[in-house]
Amino acid sequence: MLFTNATILTMNPTRDIISNGALRINENRIVALGKTDELRAQYPAEEFVDVGGKLILPGLIDTHVHVAQALIRGCADDMALIQWLCERVWVLQGNFTHDDGYVSTRLCVAEMLKSGTTTFLESMLAQRYGFDGVARAVQESGIRACLAGIVMDLGTYATKDNAMHPGMIENRETSLLGVLDMHRKWNGAANDRIHVWFGPRTPGGVTPELYREMSDYAHQRDMGITMHLAEVEADKTFLREHYNLSPVDFAESVGLLGPKSILVHMVWLEDAEIAKLAATHTSVSHNPSSNSKLASGVCKVPQMLASGVNVALGCDGGPSNNDYDLIREMKLAAILHKAVALDPLIVPAETVLEMATINGARALGLEHEIGSLEVGKKADLIVVDLGRLHTTPSVNPVSTLVYAATGGEVDTVVVDGTIVVRDGQLLTMDEHEIMAQARQHAQSLYTRAGIEIKLRWPVL
Ligand SMILES: [Zn+2]
């Protein structure tokens, strides 16, 4: 299969952009890249897709997703974090069934694929969402995923007063040992599209002993770890009061730093902590929409990048963002830090595209396989149509993509050599069936949880 007549953003080490470019795929690998006339001449008998001048770039990598939260999109808008969690999100999630987990994952994955995300890291799968159903939805859809199962043994968040919903509480046996079972069953499945990670709760939900046991297993089995940390100031205060440690020092003390760790949000950090993240090659997932909407604060991304920390990007979830469109997330990541630093040169569009592609691949330990378009890498790529009103004229495709485009301009998506979206249509799932099921499951979930969303304006 040959894709021709494209502007190709390779994201290779020299960040080459190929005009009039072509890319050849054989099975699930990229086997040639170059100019269209050269590759057509070299492979005259090859079936080809003329993309008509559209952009081809590596599939986007979302390093922080909650698949179970697609079904509860918009359930807690304009609320403070603790109230958001304790009164809405945990109550709804605590009433999930395995079927809800499957339906929500399909909704989330369909949205991600159609908006150009080809790989995601799910951060915290509870047993009650049904790991098998989530993994099956990933397998069927064709997307690539690292699925982190929850690890916890305490039912609180930050302070003892913030109890979790009883439906969300697990212990060492169900969580830690459950994830190890899922690792045996699913890691490497679907032609190695599925990897299984650990997704421990934040400090306050896990004892230091369980963190250490988990990180020992992670090192023995080369499993990744992802955790929310220093999202709000209360997280920092909690660690100072209980352990007399900063968030990063606490993470280090229980074995959570290293090249296969992704710490999420990381808003409330000091400079010494940023230096420690760089020294230990620990990655950060930056989620600007979630941090802005929940008023958590602004992650010090410019300082992290200047210190050499690998910063990737994440959309978070349906109640915190409320979409899973990483192209829209790129825009906020590119403009937010300029406003904070009063510096228009900070975090340029090119840097943000690195965060959404090659940095994401590095964070997942998959930079030798995905994250750039290079011969020998897996064929995960997207075709984006910048020939729309709001993307015309396009003098720099990178800045048009980051500042003007949305996921709606994604035309074709290829994961592991298979076309899963073509002409903007999902080929692996029925979009209308997904939406109908999601509406039905959401309605019965709200009823079961006893939650009614009251509008602020009168409904006549
Ligand atoms: Zn999250």
Side-chain angles (χ1 to χ4, degrees), residues 264-414:
V264 184
H265 301 309
M266 302 300 269
V267 173
W268 293 87
L269 299 189
E270 305 297 334
D271 291 346
E273 294 176 89
I274 293 173
K276 191 168 275 185
L277 293 173
T280 56
H281 306 287
T282 306
S283 292
V284 168
S285 177
H286 174 43
N287 295 211
S289 290
S290 174
N291 297 154
S292 302
K293 183 163 183 272
L294 294 173
S296 306
V298 179
C299 176
K300 295 175 181 170
V301 169
Q303 292 92 320
M304 287 185 183
L305 292 171
S307 307
V309 176
N310 182 48
V311 182
L313 212 55
C315 284
D316 210 349
S320 62
N321 185 314
N322 298 2
D323 64 69
Y324 296 86
D325 179 343
L326 204 63
I327 296 182
R328 290 168 68 179
E329 200 67 25
M330 285 201 289
K331 177 170 181 171
L332 186 56
I335 61 178
L336 177 64
H337 304 287
K338 293 174 171 61
V340 173
L342 303 177
D343 181 357
L345 308 183
I346 255 173
V347 195
E350 286 79 1
T351 301
V352 174
L353 187 57
E354 290 171 347
M355 289 162 62
T357 54
I358 191 67
N359 291 10
R362 191 175 299 123
L364 297 173
L366 296 174
E367 72 273 26
H368 55 293
E369 294 281 29
I370 58 171
S372 62
L373 302 177
E374 295 177 73
V375 170
K377 280 201 168 182
K378 287 187 173 169
D380 285 14
L381 58 96
I382 61 175
V383 180
V384 183
D385 181 6
L386 297 182
R388 308 284 173 86
L389 283 172
H390 60 280
T391 48
T392 300
S394 175
V395 294
N396 171 354
V398 180
S399 66
T400 305
L401 179 72
V402 170
Y403 292 119
T406 72
E409 283 76 77
V410 173
D411 174 272
T412 298
V413 178
V414 177

Side-chain angles (χ1 to χ4, degrees), residues 64-66 69 123-124 228 231 264-265 287 290 316-317 320:
H64 189 65
V65 170
H66 297 268
Q69 292 186 349
S123 67
M124 215 159 54
H228 298 71
E231 179 174 3
V264 184
H265 301 309
N287 295 211
S290 174
D316 210 349
S320 62

